[in-house]
Amino acid sequence: MKLEDLAGQCGEWLRGSGPESDIVISSRIRLARNLAEFPFIRKCTDQDRAQIERVLHEHIQRVDEWKNLSYVDVATLEDVDRQFLVERQLISREHSEAEGARSVAIDPHEKFSLMVNEEDHLRIQVMQSGLDLQSAWAQIDHIDNLIEEQVTYAFHERWGYLTACPTNVGTGMRVSVMLHLPALVITRQIEKVFRSLHKIGLAVRGLYGEGSQAMGDFYQISNQITLGRSEQQLIAQISDVVPVLIDYERRAREFLVRESQKDLHDRVSRAYGILCTAQTISSEETMHLLSSVRMGINLGLIRDLEIPTLNKLFIHTQPAHLQKLRGVELDTANRNIERANYLQRHLRKRDAGTDPEKN
Amino acid sequence: MKCQYCEKPATFHITELTGDKPSELHFCEEHARIYLTQSSHEQQEPASSLAGVLAQHLKVGQTAEDLAQLDQRACPVCGVTFYEFRHAGRLGCPHDYVCFHDELMPLIVNIHGANEHVGKRPRHGAREAGDQTRLIQLRREMKEAVEQEDYEQASKLRDEIRRLEKQRGKQT
């Protein structure tokens, strides 16, 4: 597989389907695991890292149902390619920016990825479109078992799965759900929501773990505690709180429609207008405007666009994606022009009723 | 942009409207949490990271001497010192959880509000954990022997490592 082949697709998490997909973008679970016979990454020699990679790859390749996984050597990738994998959430930012032997194995449907030599020896990650943590858990549990049949994980009777950082010890599990919450941002309730989430021990992050509102009103809710609760309990905690957030967001949207339908419609239409006609546009502005348009589609204010198309624009207008799709490296100024062109091509052509991707 | 309290990037940009005029605040996730969970917004000196939490923990009930002594303690398997862990917030090997057990306990309870794993367990159990830890130690000792040009010792260690690796191969 070439990364270029991935660029044209959308991947699992932006597929735009699954339960509650008007507000819930994706459900994600990751497990942190270490091999018992090697020191944690911090104390690894170059030799140790190389050997961990070899051992894990050997075992992964032996699994029958994983014959079609792609292996990407992250250490030797160009910057733009590493950034590309981060934008698709196939590797973490830390994994991209680290040094030394490291890699990732990617499922062809991008439903899961296996990061080798991240903060821990192995980070397994599973993604599902929409709100579907139970499927994500079933899948990651299965993947974890397949690997564990062949290796000895660092495990302690009392502490559970041992991790390089004590904040992950126990289950080594992070459950996160990505939500699109534009109405809570507009009505200025989002901080109140954060505050109550923090009170019950949940973390809130932006789309790529940084930048909050500028990044299209996307928020990831995840557990912070990993010890003393079972995987099912951790999933239940997130599963219980997400419907409440969905309800808040829906009510905020209803409020906006009821109290200021004109303003809202104006905001959405202007956003759409700028995206269709801008000649140069930054990534931040694009995300911000696409967020309004996305809500506009969900509220029926925009009728000639569909969510999957819009989700595709979210990812394809990211810096590394633009460059991969164009096939050349571009500096910021040229990326902004290319981004505006890309948006025009994909938003305007829709009037003709054809999907330009298929031509 | 960096967090107002530490070196991490600011990911929370909060506009506080309660004062005379709006004020902009920029925090990393952790400090945002600390800020947002404070009932009144009195400024405290917050713990900046895991290392910070740990340092605060250790200050309580421990003299400088005790701390200095503790800092020098090293894991016999991977060689990481407590000082190194305190500063980086990352452990050196699985055995650290055993050899720094007493020091880690209050920290882990502070983070997780619990001190015992109740979730999934490996199906194969923690088989031959001793041998696995031994491998980490032997590899380190071999590297040190090579560095000191003690090749006789290094080759002995290499044979022992191979023996253990072979044994492991049979079991899996």
Side-chain angles (χ1 to χ4, degrees):
Chain A
M1 176 203 68
K2 285 191 188 144
L3 294 184
E4 282 71 15
D5 299 338
L6 285 183
Q9 311 168 8
C10 215
E12 168 67 17
W13 65 279
L14 278 174
R15 201 153 47 87
S17 59
E20 315 284 1
S21 59
D22 55 333
I23 292 171
V24 181
I25 307 293
S26 64
S27 307
R28 197 151 61 118
I29 300 182
R30 76 112 168 95
L31 295 175
R33 298 288 187 255
N34 288 280
L35 303 182
E37 62 181 279
F38 292 98
F40 293 142
I41 292 295
R42 193 182 152 69
K43 277 286 172 187
C44 274
T45 60
D46 292 349
Q47 238 177 337
D48 289 332
R49 287 181 81 119
Q51 213 175 336
I52 291 165
E53 260 211 20
R54 210 173 46 237
V55 168
L56 281 173
H57 276 190
E58 247 177 57
H59 292 315
I60 291 168
Q61 265 162 338
R62 226 177 274 161
V63 177
D64 279 337
E65 55 192 272
W66 292 346
K67 291 294 178 221
N68 53 359
L69 291 197
S70 306
Y71 297 89
V72 181
D73 180 2
V74 177
T76 58
L77 275 187
E78 299 282 332
D79 285 352
V80 63
D81 291 331
R82 289 208 303 266
Q83 177 61 28
F84 173 81
L85 293 175
V86 173
E87 287 173 5
R88 292 186 89 77
Q89 307 211 328
L90 291 170
I91 65 173
S92 63
R93 185 178 293 255
E94 294 72 27
H95 200 47
S96 160
E97 289 168 2
E99 278 173 21
R102 61 199 193 279
S103 59
V104 60
I106 302 167
D107 158 60
H109 303 292
E110 297 180 57
K111 285 202 169 199
F112 68 89
S113 66
L114 310 169
M115 280 177 263
V116 177
N117 290 341
E118 210 245 21
E119 183 183 296
D120 296 291
H121 298 156
L122 178 67
R123 289 263 172 120
I124 310 169
Q125 172 186 264
V126 164
M127 283 189 274
Q128 287 281 337
S129 195
L131 181 59
D132 197 356
L133 286 170
Q134 286 305 336
S135 304
W137 167 247
Q139 202 187 356
I140 205 164
D141 187 34
H142 175 64
I143 293 170
D144 186 43
N145 291 340
L146 287 176
I147 296 172
E148 200 257 322
E149 274 171 19
Q150 313 184 58
V151 302
T152 306
Y153 282 146
F155 184 85
H156 185 279
E157 279 305 312
R158 169 167 207 160
W159 301 126
Y161 292 93
L162 302 180
T163 52
C165 182
T167 51
N168 295 316
V169 78
T171 55
M173 182 163 92
R174 189 81 65 222
V175 183
S176 64
V177 171
M178 183 144 60
L179 299 148
H180 185 226
L181 304 172
L184 287 177
V185 174
I186 295 172
T187 56
R188 296 169 184 267
Q189 294 177 83
I190 197 81
E191 280 166 29
K192 210 166 66 192
V193 171
F194 285 177
R195 224 169 297 167
S196 30
L197 289 174
H198 285 301
K199 268 187 197 143
I200 56 169
L202 298 180
V204 183
R205 293 182 177 81
L207 179 51
Y208 295 105
E210 55 105 49
S212 40
Q213 203 189 321
M215 295 299 268
D217 306 320
F218 289 116
Y219 296 95
Q220 291 187 65
I221 314 297
S222 60
N223 63 304
Q224 278 182 315
I225 287 169
T226 55
L227 181 76
R229 290 184 206 178
S230 69
E231 288 81 359
Q232 283 301 340
Q233 285 172 317
L234 292 173
I235 289 168
Q237 192 191 13
I238 301 281
S239 300
D240 288 349
V241 85
V242 167
V244 179
L245 296 178
I246 294 172
D247 186 47
Y248 283 163
E249 170 66 18
R250 292 229 168 95
R251 274 197 254 168
R253 289 180 186 190
E254 279 163 24
F255 172 85
L256 288 173
V257 169
R258 199 171 56 238
E259 300 295 318
S260 50
Q261 160 102 39
K262 266 273 164 289
D263 288 347
L264 185 68
H265 203 159
D266 181 64
R267 181 190 189 109
V268 167
S269 303
R270 279 170 187 271
Y272 195 12
I274 293 171
L275 289 169
C276 289
T277 55
Q279 298 298 307
T280 166
I281 188 165
S282 70
S283 183
E284 288 72 25
E285 188 180 3
T286 304
M287 294 286 274
H288 182 64
L289 298 173
L290 283 173
S291 173
S292 291
V293 171
R294 192 177 192 279
M295 179 170 62
I297 298 171
N298 284 331
L299 291 176
L301 301 172
I302 293 177
R303 294 178 187 280
D304 58 348
L305 259 182
E306 284 166 354
I307 291 293
T309 310
L310 197 87
N311 284 353
K312 200 164 72 183
L313 294 179
F314 268 112
I315 185 98
H316 283 181
T317 55
Q318 300 283 321
H321 271 77
L322 268 184
Q323 297 175 74
K324 293 307 284 181
L325 286 168
R326 186 66 205 273
V328 287
E329 291 212 17
L330 301 165
D331 62 16
T332 309
N334 281 314
R335 279 204 301 272
N336 290 348
I337 295 171
E338 175 61 23
R339 184 175 294 114
N341 283 334
Y342 186 90
L343 287 165
Q344 282 193 24
R345 278 202 307 277
H346 287 80
L347 290 173
R348 281 190 178 174
K349 270 206 183 171
R350 298 199 53 81
D351 300 341
T354 52
D355 186 345
E357 286 296 285
K358 286 180 185 155
N359 293 338
Chain B
M1 183 182 288
K2 279 183 184 168
C3 170
Q4 292 176 318
Y5 285 93
C6 68
E7 291 298 295
K8 286 188 205 158
T11 55
F12 282 77
H13 308 283
I14 296 170
T15 311
E16 189 61 65
L17 298 169
T18 49
D20 298 337
K21 52 182 179 183
S23 61
E24 296 271 336
L25 300 162
H26 308 280
F27 298 118
C28 68
E29 188 181 332
E30 204 159 331
H31 283 120
R33 184 167 55 80
I34 290 164
Y35 179 81
L36 293 170
T37 47
Q38 275 170 8
S39 49
S40 60
H41 291 147
E42 69 215 28
Q43 297 306 312
Q44 293 174 5
E45 193 58 46
S48 72
S49 62
L50 175 65
V53 172
L54 192 60
Q56 280 189 350
H57 248 282
L58 293 167
K59 269 181 212 153
V60 185
Q62 248 163 345
T63 65
E65 275 167 47
D66 287 344
L67 193 60
Q69 219 170 18
L70 176 61
D71 272 350
Q72 283 180 6
R73 263 185 54 203
C75 168
V77 172
C78 71
V80 82
T81 60
F82 198 74
Y83 177 85
E84 256 181 282
F85 165 63
R86 213 153 61 81
H87 279 256
R90 300 286 180 278
L91 293 161
C93 81
H95 188 69
D96 295 356
Y97 281 97
V98 177
C99 79
F100 295 127
H101 178 277
D102 294 350
E103 290 76 25
L104 286 175
M105 177 70 91
L107 173 72
I108 288 175
V109 170
N110 181 273
I111 297 169
H112 299 284
N115 61 16
E116 204 154 351
H117 176 57
V118 294
K120 185 176 178 177
R121 289 167 176 273
R123 285 183 186 172
H124 298 100
R127 59 187 166 195
E128 82 275 357
D131 281 356
Q132 305 282 344
T133 309
R134 179 120 180 88
L135 269 173
I136 300 175
Q137 190 168 2
L138 288 172
R139 287 201 196 98
R140 182 169 71 95
E141 283 171 8
M142 184 172 84
K143 185 175 153 253
E144 282 165 5
V146 170
E147 276 164 7
Q148 286 160 17
E149 302 187 5
D150 183 351
Y151 297 114
E152 196 182 328
Q153 176 67 4
S155 89
K156 261 191 221 159
L157 288 163
R158 189 198 54 209
D159 292 346
E160 177 66 6
I161 291 168
R162 287 203 179 145
R163 195 182 62 77
L164 281 174
E165 283 179 343
K166 223 175 183 176
Q167 228 172 43
R168 180 204 61 200
K170 269 184 210 149
Q171 279 163 351
T172 52

